[in-house]
Amino acid sequence: NQYIYTIHGDTLYTNLYIGSELTTKLGGTDVAIQQESNYPWEGKVSLKINPAAEAEFGIALRIPSWSQGMEIRVNGEAMNTAENIEQGYLVIRRLWRAGDVIEVHDPMEAHRIYAHPSLRADAQKVTIQRGPLVYCLESIDNGEPLSSISLKEGSELPAAFDETLLGGAVVVEAEGLRVDKEGWSGELYSRVKAPVQTVKVKAVPYYLWGNRGSGEMKVWIPEASV
């Protein structure tokens, strides 16, 4: 709990969204906090606030740097996340009663991340991020060589939970292109560009790579405008 929560004065800072329970003292009274979360697969988090007696104190919720459109409600009432931001946290100060509930909803849509044009190794390439997780391609899902694969520019990035993947994880699939080696002339160089074929590209969370045998892995992927 020392990593999940931090207390400064009469304010409890929620640093991580992890299912947990905490009993502490805030506003001069004992307070039990119960957090329910399925991060990082889902963006819904619930915090039940149960002070032993009515008390005024603060609950601060971290706004991740990657987050866009986080919604926070207290007992169903929407909070203005553009106000009361202190060093990346939304601070809610009020009179709390037993049974009060904070609900957090953070959109978990997969999106593209591009590298700075001056970053030579990754220029003109893209990687996939969903929530706090960066994704990668593995050859076990996409075949080898991974250098022959590119993502179609503007293609959708549908995500789905795969319960068979190393205990369960959300995977992302997208329309991509693969160089058709069978259509190559056979020479080392050619005046004719290699043909490509449309394929499904599967990306898995980066932290899971290397757990299904040896093979290639790639984070930054070329993007094709075709």
Side-chain angles (χ1 to χ4, degrees), residues 86-162:
E86 300 179 10
Q87 297 183 332
Y89 289 78
L90 173 67
V91 182
I92 306 172
R93 291 189 174 89
R94 53 171 283 160
L95 183 67
W96 297 92
R97 299 179 174 86
D100 285 343
V101 177
I102 302 174
E103 296 172 296
V104 178
H105 180 261
D106 210 349
M108 288 285 189
E109 296 180 356
H111 55 273
R112 290 167 168 79
I113 297 293
Y114 296 92
H116 191 285
S118 297
L119 188 57
R120 296 182 180 181
D122 302 324
Q124 308 302 314
K125 295 180 181 179
V126 64
T127 191
I128 297 171
Q129 181 175 353
R130 182 180 184 273
L133 300 182
V134 171
Y135 279 65
C136 69
L137 307 187
E138 284 196 278
S139 57
I140 191 172
D141 300 311
N142 302 283
E144 293 187 0
L146 292 179
S147 59
S148 68
I149 293 178
S150 58
L151 285 181
K152 282 187 178 180
E153 185 177 10
S155 61
E156 295 183 357
L157 301 173
F161 190 79
D162 183 352

Side-chain angles (χ1 to χ4, degrees), residues 42-59:
E42 297 178 5
K44 295 181 179 179
V45 179
S46 172
L47 291 98
K48 298 178 181 178
I49 316 299
N50 286 299
E54 292 185 2
E56 184 173 344
F57 51 85
I59 300 289

Side-chain angles (χ1 to χ4, degrees), residues 180-195:
D180 183 5
K181 293 188 295 182
E182 299 300 323
W184 184 249
S185 64
E187 301 296 329
L188 183 59
Y189 300 102
S190 174
R191 294 188 179 187
V192 180
K193 187 177 181 179

